[in-house]
Amino acid sequence: MVMPETGRRTATRHLHFTFDDLLKVRIGDEVLPHVETYFALRSLSAPPSAALSDWRAVVRPGLGALLGLLRQLGQWLPSPSALTGLALGGAHETRAAQLRTGATGEQLREALNTFWQLGLEPYWRQITAHVRRCQQELRERLALGGVEDLLSHLPGGSSWRQPVLRLPDERGGEVHLAGRGVRLSSSLFLQPRGRKVLEVSDGKGQPTLYLPAPLTEEDAPALWGAAAGGERSLAALIGAGRARVLQSLTEPRTTGELAQLAGISGPGASQHTAVLRKAGLITTRRERNMAWHELTPLGRAMLANLEDAGAHRGPATVSLLPAPAC
């Protein structure tokens, strides 16, 4: 279970360790797209963070009408694994999300995909590098000071007094690890003032404790600016979906043609063209019941830059979903 971040009074959750649990404390060495996407969704409704202000300034306007739906998902989704279930089309997660949002399963997954393309994919290399640095710092503390020193210095406001780790948590309560140990996983979008998040499986797997990967206000411009290429107004356009739309405009095309060529839904194509038009990259003219889209000179230059970057970087290979377990 994962505890939501709200403005309510914070209680304390007690995480009880045995000697075997202390021997089984693990630190994640991967950066999982579905975990970062989950906490990024939550941050859409969280109090503004100075470290995320540049990111929010680009992403929230770019989401347009999808912002309300995504904020609902961020407030409701109980865990990163629930996000995975929804993205995979899981019946339970889809039905629950439909009841809370009124959207169809297709609309929910289209919104998640758009959010990934707009809010995370352009910055993924920088996010990955930052989170791995924070995880390496945890490993170094574990190696130098031992597990109790590590538990005494976790980011985010917990406190350790053997054999209990006390976590800020609105539900409170007791969790006995019972020999399973715990896995520590860092997230850039779970900022230090956010609640720690404990995801406990149904008694079999190892619980995961999500920790902030602190990003300072001073370091934030370098992270977001590196991905944006110095042009904050264009950072929202470097996602794969909008790149495909731009690349499809080798000649004027209708919304339906763009959807077919880019491999997206008609509503998704309309959302992408609205953002591209607002940024001055395309123009749209209407003839009878059809909208025709065409690149502007700026759009042609942007397309050339995207193709040049793709030639050096190769195609994006990151998926919203985690890699299957081996």
Side-chain angles (χ1 to χ4, degrees):
M1 68 191 76
V2 171
M3 303 304 117
E5 293 175 17
T6 72
R8 299 176 185 174
R9 185 175 180 179
T10 302
T12 301
R13 196 167 203 194
H14 296 157
L15 192 57
H16 295 261
F17 287 75
T18 65
F19 178 75
D20 286 341
D21 293 316
L22 292 174
L23 295 177
K24 294 179 182 177
V25 173
R26 301 289 184 263
I27 299 169
D29 57 2
E30 68 282 315
V31 185
L32 298 175
H34 73 292
V35 171
E36 291 299 333
T37 301
Y38 172 79
F39 288 111
L41 276 173
R42 287 161 62 112
S43 74
L44 291 176
S45 300
S49 162
L52 296 180
S53 60
D54 284 356
W55 176 81
R56 287 164 62 106
V58 169
V59 172
R60 286 167 63 98
L63 292 172
L66 290 178
L67 178 60
L69 174 59
L70 290 165
R71 290 183 65 180
Q72 283 182 285
L73 283 177
Q75 292 165 352
W76 165 72
L77 279 167
S79 68
S81 60
L83 171 65
T84 300
L86 177 58
L88 285 172
H92 173 74
E93 293 86 359
T94 300
R95 282 196 300 269
Q98 288 174 326
L99 287 172
R100 285 163 175 80
T101 65
T104 67
E106 181 181 357
Q107 289 171 332
L108 291 165
R109 283 179 278 279
E110 180 72 31
L112 287 174
N113 188 51
T114 298
F115 181 61
W116 161 259
Q117 293 176 354
L118 177 63
L120 288 100
E121 188 180 47
Y123 313 102
W124 189 244
R125 287 174 176 81
Q126 288 75 20
I127 291 170
T128 299
H130 175 79
V131 172
R132 284 181 174 157
R133 282 194 298 272
C134 293
Q135 289 171 333
Q136 181 59 29
E137 291 174 3
L138 294 176
R139 277 189 286 274
E140 290 173 358
R141 181 173 287 278
L142 176 62
L144 294 174
V147 66
E148 293 203 51
D149 183 54
L150 172 66
L151 295 175
S152 298
H153 294 88
L154 295 179
S158 64
S159 64
W160 167 253
R161 185 174 179 181
Q162 190 181 26
V164 178
L165 182 67
R166 293 163 178 81
L167 308 172
D169 192 314
E170 289 156 10
R171 289 190 182 181
E174 312 292 324
V175 175
H176 294 267
L177 295 175
R180 292 173 293 171
V182 68
R183 179 179 177 275
L184 306 179
S185 181
S186 301
S187 169
L188 168 64
F189 288 95
L190 178 58
Q191 288 297 293
R193 66 179 172 183
R195 307 286 184 264
K196 284 191 178 61
V197 178
L198 179 66
E199 185 169 12
V200 183
S201 64
D202 44 357
K204 298 179 181 179
Q206 189 174 49
T208 299
L209 177 59
Y210 295 101
L211 303 171
L215 177 65
T216 66
E217 188 175 356
E218 293 74 22
D219 292 337
L223 188 149
W224 306 124
E231 292 291 338
R232 184 181 301 175
S233 63
L234 297 181
L237 305 174
I238 308 179
R242 288 182 176 82
R244 288 197 298 272
V245 170
L246 283 177
Q247 289 164 343
S248 299
L249 283 170
T250 53
E251 59 184 74
R253 301 200 186 272
T254 66
T255 304
E257 289 173 335
L258 287 177
Q260 184 176 12
L261 289 169
I264 57 178
S265 67
S270 295
Q271 291 161 4
H272 286 323
T273 55
V275 175
L276 294 169
R277 184 167 56 252
K278 185 176 180 180
L281 300 179
I282 68 171
T283 59
T284 301
R285 57 185 172 83
R286 296 194 174 273
E287 291 185 4
R288 298 182 180 178
N289 295 327
M290 289 190 296
W292 289 84
H293 310 283
E294 187 173 3
L295 290 173
T296 64
L298 177 61
R300 286 191 290 271
M302 181 65 181
L303 178 59
N305 289 337
L306 285 168
E307 290 175 340
D308 181 65
H312 289 87
R313 284 200 310 259
T317 57
V318 175
S319 167
L320 169 62
L321 300 177
C326 297

